[in-house]
Amino acid sequence: VPDSYAKGNAVHHSFARVITIHGVHYLRITENVGYRVRGHNFFVEDGIETHNLIEKNLAIGSLAA
């Protein structure tokens, strides 16, 4: 997905994650905010994902899983 991105999103008061990267390569994740999200906020699922760029994101008030 070299031309795809997740940019400028806000997720708040969620029982899941802000963004999950699962089996994806070359994705740009930038300028997103998570507020009071339970568990992982920015999550790389399997660890086989490569060349993804995760920058300038903010997680505030993360809640325990």
Side-chain angles (χ1 to χ4, degrees):
V1 293
D3 295 326
S4 297
Y5 58 88
K7 181 177 180 181
N9 298 289
V11 177
H12 57 89
H13 295 89
S14 175
F15 291 102
R17 299 173 176 101
V18 176
I19 294 177
T20 299
I21 301 173
H22 180 72
V24 175
H25 309 284
Y26 297 96
L27 179 64
R28 182 182 198 114
I29 299 168
T30 184
E31 299 173 16
N32 299 288
V33 176
Y35 174 72
R36 295 193 55 82
V37 174
R38 187 168 304 281
H40 303 289
N41 283 265
F42 302 94
F43 184 65
V44 179
E45 185 91 22
D46 295 327
I48 61 166
E49 297 80 7
T50 60
H51 303 287
N52 295 299
L53 179 63
I54 304 171
E55 66 176 1
K56 299 179 185 177
N57 297 288
L58 178 64
I60 304 169
S62 297
L63 304 172

